[in-house]
Structures are given as C-alpha cells and as structure tokens.
Amino acid sequence: DRADGSVEWTTWECRPWYEANGEVGGFVVYTEVVTDRIKAEEQKILLQQKLHQSQKMEAIGTLAGGIAHDFNNILGAILGYAEMSRDDSPTESLVAKNLDKVLEAGHRAASLVKQILTFSRNADTERVILDPAGIVKEALGLLRPSLPSTIAIKQQIATATKTIHANPTQVHQILINLCTNAFHAMEQTGGVLEVTLKDCELSRNDLQQHPEVEPGSFVVLSISDTGTGIDPDIWGRIFDPYFTTKGVGKGTGMGLSIVHGIVTGYGGFITGESNHGNGTIFHVFFPATEEEVGHEANLAETALPGTERILLVDDEEILVEMGKAMLEQLGYAVTARTSSLEALTTFQNQPNEFDVVITDQTMPSMTGVNLARQMLKIRPGLPIILCTGYSNLINKEQAKNYGIKGFAMKPFSKKKIAVLLRQVLDEKLPS
C-alpha cells in the first residue's frame, strides 16, 4: 500500500537467456509495476475518447437533420410536380413510364432521408402493423448498388411471415446496419451476404438467456457473412456504444448498439455467432402479431376531391406554387402565403373565409405551431394540418395536444394529402 492510499503491485516474469551455442547461459527477469493510479489515468483517457466521439456524433446528427430538412423540401417539389405531370399523361405513353421512374427514384430518396432523420433522433418513430418482408426487400434493393460485385447477395425471404408492430424506418435501419457491418468484414476478400426471414415459435425454455422476453411467435431476420469473423475476446463488447474494430473513417461504433436498442424496445432481442476468420451471423427476433396490415392505397382510392377553401402557408415559394397547383387539381380553392406573419394577417382579416389551414412548421418569424395557436384563439375548432420535414420541437401527439387536427411528414404525395384533408374536414368540430 502506498502512502496516498493507492495500491501498487509488481508482476514478475523469468525467461531463459541463451548463449550463442544454444545453451542456457542464465535468466532474465522482467518486471512491471502497475498501480490503480495508472489504471485511473487509462480510464480517464478512455472516457475522454468516448466523450469526443459522442460530441462528434451529436454534431453530425444536427448537421444531418438540417440537410434532411432542405432535401425534403427539394424532394417535395420534385415528387409533387412529377405526380401531377403523371396524372396528366396518357397511361401507356413513354412520358408516363419515364415519370413513373422519376417517382420511384424520388420515393427511394425520401426513404433515405427518413434514415438520416432517424440517425439525428428527429424521425417520427410511430409504430404500425407491417409486413417485414416488403421492408427487407426494399432495403436490399437500395443496398445492392452500393456493394462491390465481389460480394454476392443471397435471399431466403418467406413471403407469408406474420406481421410485426414496428416502425418501418427503424426496421430498414436494422437491416442496413447489419448488412453494412457484413460488407466491411468482406470488403478485402469478397464473399457471400445472406439474408433470411422466417417465422418461429419460442418457449420459455428457449428464452432462458432472455428472461425479459415473453415467449410466443416471432419473425426472425438473419444476416450472415463469410468474412473475417469477430474475435471471441471482444464479442462481449460488440453492443457497447462507440465500440468499433474498424479503422478511422470506417464506422462510428453505433450500428450494433442502435440495432440492440431498437429491437429490445420492441420486446425482442438479438443474438449472434462468429468464428474468427470464418464469418458471422446475427439473428434479430421481432415479436409477431396476428393483426393485418392496413392498406393505405385503398383508403386513397376512396378519397374524393373537395371544394373547400384552403389557406396554404410555407416559406418555400416553390412548394407553395406546387401545393397550390396540386390542391386546385383536387378541386379546392386555395389562398397561398409564403410568410407566416402574412398568413396570420390574412386570417385575422377574414377568419371565416377558410375551411382548413395547411401550414409548414419551420418558418422564420413564426413557426407553424405558433401560427396555429394564434388562429385557434380567433376561431377555436378550426381544422389545421401541420406539415414538417424535420423538427425536434413538435411531433404528432404534441400537435394534437395544441388542437391541431392533422400532422404530415414531408414529402407527401397528392393521394396522402387528399386523404388527410378529407379526414380533417369531415371530422371538424363546430367553429
């Protein structure tokens, strides 16, 4: 024991010393002095590294959210004008087919933006009943172009699995994260990435290692690779935040931690197996449900155009022009404003001239929420739809608490806004 209260101990190692003729000429003693002070310094350095990594991730998340906001506005204009042009084109024409491709690419880009927003902790994480097979196939379709030809993808996706209660963007993110890890493991040598999806039943006995999980039906997503594998010495740390075996610029150490957090939040779990040098496989277990997937497309087909009067507010001029044209195609009478303050003045002067208000959230001078609150003071029960591509200040539930009837994430399609408008207008409260 040292005088300052720390503990010091010495390790000894005795090794033979050989002479030139190969005979043992003596012994060499190696010593190493270790103190808890040294260990404390090492721990301090490790904590500082994690803090710096956390700060970097927070900065990247903020930047990503800002980029996503602007990109969502651009996508909104692209998808809106493309959809209107598609509706005006002959069904079998070359123009219609080309616009279908534009819309397909635009929706894929919108899906990527949702991933960015999830990363920046500002995505809508509402869970729905969904068919996981469709999400997995879509994610693999987006992933394939980014992988080198030296990596083959094998799929064994059951088309009739049970449904799960989850957020589609988060399921998408789980698959992308695991597949990206598999890619890095095979980047130098190539190999096979195999993705399987199937149902399974687990009893209490099967879940002895996961006592917090309820037994029953599960949908299992498995991702395997033929890469370098994971060293058994570090296997116990792979789900720790910021832990990574990749070189600088290759990863953040958040992928497996995020996957673990999402799936445990669903009441499921993740397991894995690896042999160093012989590949790795992860199994993600989602609790299954007996509920059926809702069909939004059918709802959109029954949505009729309207003739009501709309006050449309967005600070992006191109979105206002596009939105006005889209809503007028549906039969509505639209008054458009590119300033929330101008919109409030217009409403104050003619509070009974509008049947519904559609407003963006992120605007200078006054946010959409504050605009809505001012309007509702003048005319309680006014149907208002709040639109946002990115905001850490408001979500669907909070908007509802303010008296806002509808909430839409940008970019939205003509069919979606038509459905939402009819829902809000047909269920409006007396003014």
Side-chain angles (χ1 to χ4, degrees):
D1 293 340
R2 298 168 60 92
D4 61 2
S6 63
V7 179
E8 178 181 290
W9 66 93
T10 305
T11 59
W12 299 78
E13 183 178 359
C14 187
R15 301 178 186 173
W17 170 68
Y18 296 93
E19 295 182 338
N21 59 9
E23 296 182 358
V24 176
F27 295 90
V28 179
V29 176
Y30 297 86
T31 65
E32 180 181 7
V33 177
V34 183
T35 68
D36 58 357
R37 179 182 297 173
I38 295 174
K39 283 186 170 294
E41 287 296 326
E42 291 175 348
Q43 185 68 16
K44 181 180 178 181
I45 293 172
L46 180 61
L47 290 174
Q48 286 176 338
Q49 290 174 342
K50 288 186 175 182
L51 176 61
H52 292 156
Q53 180 74 346
S54 176
Q55 291 171 337
K56 182 175 72 172
M57 293 291 291
E58 183 178 355
I60 292 173
T62 302
L63 176 63
I67 293 172
H69 170 259
D70 290 340
F71 194 42
N72 259 332
N73 284 337
I74 296 170
L75 276 176
I78 293 172
L79 289 171
Y81 281 113
E83 190 174 14
M84 287 190 292
S85 299
R86 175 65 180 83
D87 290 344
D88 290 337
S89 302
T91 304
E92 298 300 324
S93 67
L94 179 60
V95 171
K97 292 179 181 178
N98 289 340
L99 287 170
D100 283 339
K101 294 297 182 182
V102 172
L103 288 168
E104 180 183 349
H107 287 302
R108 289 174 67 178
S111 178
L112 291 176
V113 174
K114 285 183 179 179
Q115 291 182 65
I116 295 173
L117 291 174
T118 298
F119 167 74
S120 62
R121 300 187 182 95
N122 286 285
D124 180 6
T125 55
E126 181 182 3
R127 301 181 193 179
V128 296
I129 302 300
L130 58 85
D131 173 15
I135 302 292
V136 171
K137 289 177 181 178
E138 178 187 353
L140 289 176
L142 293 171
L143 185 70
R144 176 67 273 184
S146 66
L147 298 181
S149 58
T150 54
I151 295 178
I153 297 180
K154 290 186 177 180
Q155 303 180 37
Q156 296 185 37
I157 301 172
T159 56
T161 64
K162 293 185 176 181
T163 57
I164 62 174
H165 187 221
N167 177 271
T169 302
Q170 289 183 328
V171 176
H172 195 286
Q173 186 180 23
I174 287 174
L175 189 135
I176 293 295
N177 279 343
L178 292 177
C179 287
T180 299
N181 284 346
F183 155 65
H184 285 304
M186 300 183 288
E187 191 171 10
Q188 299 297 324
T189 60
V192 178
L193 170 64
E194 187 168 358
V195 179
T196 64
L197 186 75
K198 62 182 181 180
D199 291 329
C200 80
E201 295 287 333
L202 296 179
S203 65
R204 178 62 66 191
N205 188 54
D206 297 323
L207 295 168
Q208 291 182 11
Q209 300 299 318
H210 305 277
E212 74 284 358
V213 178
E214 292 296 322
S217 300
F218 291 82
V219 178
V220 189
L221 172 66
S222 301
I223 291 94
S224 67
D225 64 70
T226 56
T228 54
I230 299 175
D231 193 321
D233 292 338
I234 65 171
W235 183 263
R237 300 180 60 196
I238 60 173
F239 295 111
D240 292 349
Y242 309 119
F243 177 76
T244 180
T245 59
K246 300 168 187 171
V248 176
K250 290 289 187 180
T252 63
M254 290 298 291
L256 286 176
S257 176
I258 289 174
V259 170
H260 182 269
I262 292 173
V263 72
T264 54
Y266 292 163
F269 62 100
I270 178 172
T271 64
E273 304 167 22
S274 183
N275 292 316
H276 193 46
N278 293 305
T280 303
I281 183 169
F282 285 100
H283 306 284
V284 182
F285 292 81
F286 297 96
T289 77
E290 299 295 333
E291 298 182 55
E292 294 184 359
V293 178
H295 297 286
E296 183 179 317
N298 292 337
L299 181 61
E301 290 173 1
T302 62
L304 298 175
T307 57
E308 286 87 349
R309 300 159 298 177
I310 298 175
L311 177 58
L312 176 65
V313 191
D314 198 304
D315 63 312
E316 290 284 343
E317 188 171 346
I318 190 171
L319 291 182
V320 169
E321 292 175 356
M322 183 274 295
K324 188 174 188 293
M326 179 185 291
L327 293 168
E328 287 176 343
Q329 273 194 355
L330 290 167
Y332 293 98
V334 182
T335 299
R337 294 290 183 267
T338 56
S339 163
S340 51
L341 294 180
E342 289 180 6
L344 181 58
T345 300
T346 299
F347 184 79
Q348 287 171 332
N349 292 335
Q350 299 174 307
N352 296 313
E353 287 299 308
F354 304 102
D355 299 301
V356 62
V357 175
I358 302 176
T359 178
D360 184 32
Q361 161 63 8
T362 308
M363 297 183 290
S365 301
M366 180 181 289
T367 65
V369 167
N370 288 334
L371 175 62
R373 294 173 71 180
Q374 293 298 320
M375 289 179 171
L376 289 170
K377 286 180 181 179
I378 299 170
R379 194 175 139 199
L382 171 70
I384 298 177
I385 295 175
L386 183 69
C387 306
T388 181
Y390 162 86
S391 177
N392 57 359
L393 301 177
I394 192 72
N395 58 34
K396 187 175 182 178
E397 288 303 315
Q398 291 169 331
K400 185 177 179 180
N401 292 336
Y402 286 123
I404 296 170
K405 301 293 175 55
F407 187 85
M409 292 296 296
K410 293 181 176 180
F412 45 75
S413 67
K414 182 179 177 181
K415 286 184 177 180
K416 285 185 178 180
I417 196 64
V419 171
L420 186 56
L421 271 168
R422 291 292 7 131
Q423 290 175 336
V424 167
L425 285 166
D426 295 341
E427 296 174 2
K428 66 180 181 180
L429 298 174
S431 58

